[in-house]
Amino acid sequence: MPEPYRTIVEPFRIHSVEPLRFLTADERAAKVRDAGYNLFDLHADDVLIDLLTDSGTGAMSRDQWAAIQHGDESYAGSPSWFTFLAAVQELFPFPHVIPTHQGRAAEKILFTAIAAPGMVVPNNTHFDTTRANVEFTGAEAVDLVIPQGRDPSADHPFKGNMDLDALDALLADRAADVPVVMVTVTNNSGGGQPVSLENLRGVRAICDRYGVPLFLDACRFAENAWFITLREPGYEGASVPDVVREMAALADGMTMSAKKDPMANIGGWLALRDDDLAERCRNLLILTEGFPTYGGLAGRDLEAIAQGLRECVDEHYLRYRIRSTAYLAEALDAADVPTVKPAGGHAVYLDARALLPHVPPLAYPGQSLAVALYEAGGIRGCEIGTVMFGLRPDGTEAPAAMDLVRLAIPRRTYTQSHVDYVIEVVTDVASRASSLPGYRIVEQPAQLRHFTARFEPLG
Ligand code: F0G
């Protein structure tokens, strides 16, 4: 029986609050100039609404804080490890679970173990750290999302899907050079878009045909599963944990950041079926992260993750979560602000290339829009475009597939009035987008330049 009322009630009430600090527009202009127009270089307390990332920024629940008190800090065989292991395997029944301090540590271990120069790793879309970890081994990272997944305005229920023909063609040609096929759920760099079970089954069949393993980059698995229950024929009303287990059953392993859907502030894991590979990965874990029953984590972190895993597959939580992201997207749509369609799970992506047609990709329209949102209203978003992806391993530069600004929504953190304020600021900045400048980079590192590059406005 559907509820008679539309308003989505946050499935929690507030128990402890953090103050926000209000700066003037002049103060913000000075802060961002001093930061070299790189929002990663701001002090977080100079930000009013922080939509830089949904990673590790969610509000933990009462029960997660309580679980922390159960943390057992034994070096080996801690009860907290077994609590964590059971919670992970309840959803992802892989025999080997290797705890890491966050997702990129799992990526580093996996690709160190399996990738090398001359190899190629396909993914629907690599996240930046995933791409960097693949390229660091000398292998090539290739994005094979369906064509609709590269077109911000194309509407498709599963825009994160892998292009099966392109994957088949790549494997027909080079299967021997492909150590793993990765599928990112949801597809973060492509707009937080879900992948269907049908598509995952298609990827699995191709991997089987060529004898290549399939791994999930599963950071936002619960949001992906919720979209499946909303959009995939045959799964209407299915149980979210069942859908997650069905996703896991199609894969040989996973990399994971517990800072996303599991609502922890830190943590991650690598899980897999293959015994030999697991042993090699555990040996690398011991070198860089820690003993296999804690990895890079304290016992208390393992407890918080275990509890978060139970909460993030709750359907009241997921309904609120996905509905509140859509609420922001719908309001921006009504104000004619171009965004990636449909709304993603964890974020709304502004289409800076469409909004700032006077700024060419190599003058970074996404950076320009992100800086303007901070200057206007203290909102910190994240450029996902040519700054993040435009620098190639050989040092040349090319436009990224899209120039987006991601407004990522931390889990259970901001209220609807915070979001209403964001709508007001974005709409105002969009109305004067034609006056926003391009930028040039004045300093940058060789890799992952978006974190530390310094910029200057053009003209
Ligand atoms: N894979 C995906 C799809 C991600 O979104 C992230 C992190 C990682 C891997 C790496 O995990 O941060 O725990 O090392 N994404 C964050 C973001 C940082 O803002 O989207 P990590």
Side-chain angles (χ1 to χ4, degrees):
M1 178 83 175
E3 294 290 336
Y5 306 112
R6 271 193 87 244
T7 307
I8 297 297
V9 174
E10 288 89 347
F12 51 80
R13 56 187 180 184
I14 293 167
H15 165 273
S16 127
V17 298
E18 286 179 86
L20 292 177
R21 204 157 83 96
F22 293 81
L23 301 185
T24 64
D26 286 345
E27 286 168 333
R28 286 194 296 266
K31 297 280 183 196
V32 75
R33 192 186 54 233
D34 293 348
Y37 297 96
N38 188 329
L39 303 181
F40 284 98
D41 206 37
L42 290 171
H43 292 208
D45 55 3
D46 294 332
V47 174
L48 188 62
I49 307 284
D50 204 347
L51 309 183
L52 182 67
T53 178
D54 64 323
S55 180
T57 53
M60 289 215 296
S61 66
R62 173 195 64 189
D63 294 345
Q64 282 179 292
W65 286 109
I68 277 180
Q69 294 295 332
H70 289 271
D72 177 298
E73 305 303 342
S74 303
Y75 187 91
S78 153
S80 300
W81 155 250
F82 292 104
T83 301
F84 167 86
L85 180 64
V88 171
Q89 289 181 330
E90 170 75 18
L91 293 169
F92 302 99
F94 296 113
H96 301 285
V97 178
I98 296 177
T100 59
H101 79 276
Q102 62 183 89
R104 67 199 69 185
E107 294 166 358
K108 169 78 176 154
I109 289 171
L110 176 67
F111 295 121
T112 302
I114 63 173
M119 291 186 174
V120 52
V121 176
N123 199 323
N124 44 355
T125 312
H126 288 84
F127 182 65
D128 60 355
T129 60
T130 324
R131 170 172 288 277
N133 272 304
V134 169
E135 290 175 349
F136 190 73
T137 68
E140 190 190 343
V142 182
D143 294 339
L144 298 180
V145 71
I146 55 171
Q148 293 92 324
R150 295 178 202 270
D151 174 358
S153 61
D155 211 340
H156 185 287
F158 292 102
K159 246 177 134 167
N161 281 354
M162 184 80 98
D163 182 335
L164 298 180
D165 293 337
L167 180 65
D168 201 345
L170 177 77
L171 290 181
D173 200 27
R174 300 191 55 186
D177 301 328
V178 179
V180 69
V181 171
M182 302 282 303
V183 176
T184 305
V185 295
T186 57
N187 189 29
N188 182 11
S189 305
Q193 302 291 332
V195 176
S196 69
L197 273 167
E198 184 191 24
N199 187 255
L200 273 180
R201 279 193 286 269
V203 174
R204 175 79 254 172
I206 294 170
C207 287
D208 285 345
R209 203 170 323 131
Y210 296 97
V212 175
L214 167 61
F215 272 53
L216 300 176
D217 175 343
C219 299
R220 299 176 182 84
F221 70 91
E223 294 173 3
N224 199 90
W226 180 249
F227 279 120
I228 287 172
T229 69
L230 294 182
R231 297 182 185 167
E232 186 152 358
Y235 289 89
E236 302 87 353
S239 118
V240 173
D242 284 348
V243 172
V244 174
R245 284 185 282 267
E246 202 166 330
M247 288 159 56
L250 290 165
D252 299 293
M254 67 190 293
T255 56
M256 182 68 194
S257 169
K259 302 172 72 172
K260 280 76 172 184
D261 276 358
M263 294 190 276
N265 300 127
I266 196 73
W269 67 87
L270 170 65
L272 65 167
R273 298 187 199 284
D274 184 295
D275 298 336
D276 291 338
L277 178 57
E279 189 180 328
R280 284 189 284 138
C281 290
R282 277 206 186 91
N283 290 336
L284 288 167
L285 180 86
I286 293 169
L287 273 184
T288 58
E289 293 280 296
F291 188 73
T293 62
Y294 71 85
L297 295 166
R300 56 178 170 269
D301 300 323
L302 296 167
E303 296 275 356
I305 295 167
Q307 177 59 26
L309 275 172
R310 289 188 279 274
E311 294 175 13
C312 76
V313 292
D314 175 79
E315 76 175 73
H316 294 286
Y317 161 70
L318 283 167
R319 179 174 296 116
Y320 141 77
R321 169 78 178 151
I322 299 303
R323 182 66 205 118
S324 25
T325 308
Y327 173 82
L328 171 58
E330 283 163 17
L332 295 178
D333 205 26
D336 286 330
V337 178
T339 59
V340 174
K341 303 279 172 17
H346 66 298
V348 172
Y349 295 67
L350 308 178
D351 185 352
R353 198 175 285 175
L355 196 58
L356 282 67
H358 61 291
V359 177
L362 293 181
Y364 316 126
Q367 191 67 22
S368 176
L369 180 59
V371 169
L373 293 176
Y374 176 72
E375 288 173 336
I379 295 166
R380 175 157 72 168
C382 182
E383 194 264 10
I384 300 207
T386 303
V387 174
M388 188 178 276
F389 293 116
L391 184 63
R392 298 178 163 177
D394 67 2
T396 61
E397 221 188 352
M402 301 188 265
D403 277 293
L404 307 176
V405 172
R406 183 183 73 172
L407 304 178
I409 318 288
R411 294 170 181 78
R412 305 189 292 209
T413 302
Y414 291 113
T415 64
Q416 189 163 329
S417 31
H418 290 123
V419 175
D420 286 337
Y421 172 80
V422 172
I423 293 164
E424 207 180 329
V425 174
V426 175
T427 307
D428 169 50
V429 170
S431 72
R432 48 191 173 78
S434 62
S435 66
L436 300 180
Y439 280 78
R440 69 183 191 94
I441 291 181
V442 290
E443 248 179 71
Q444 65 178 5
Q447 270 164 6
L448 297 174
R449 66 176 177 178
H450 51 288
F451 290 129
T452 54
R454 294 181 74 81
F455 301 82
E456 242 172 39
L458 292 169

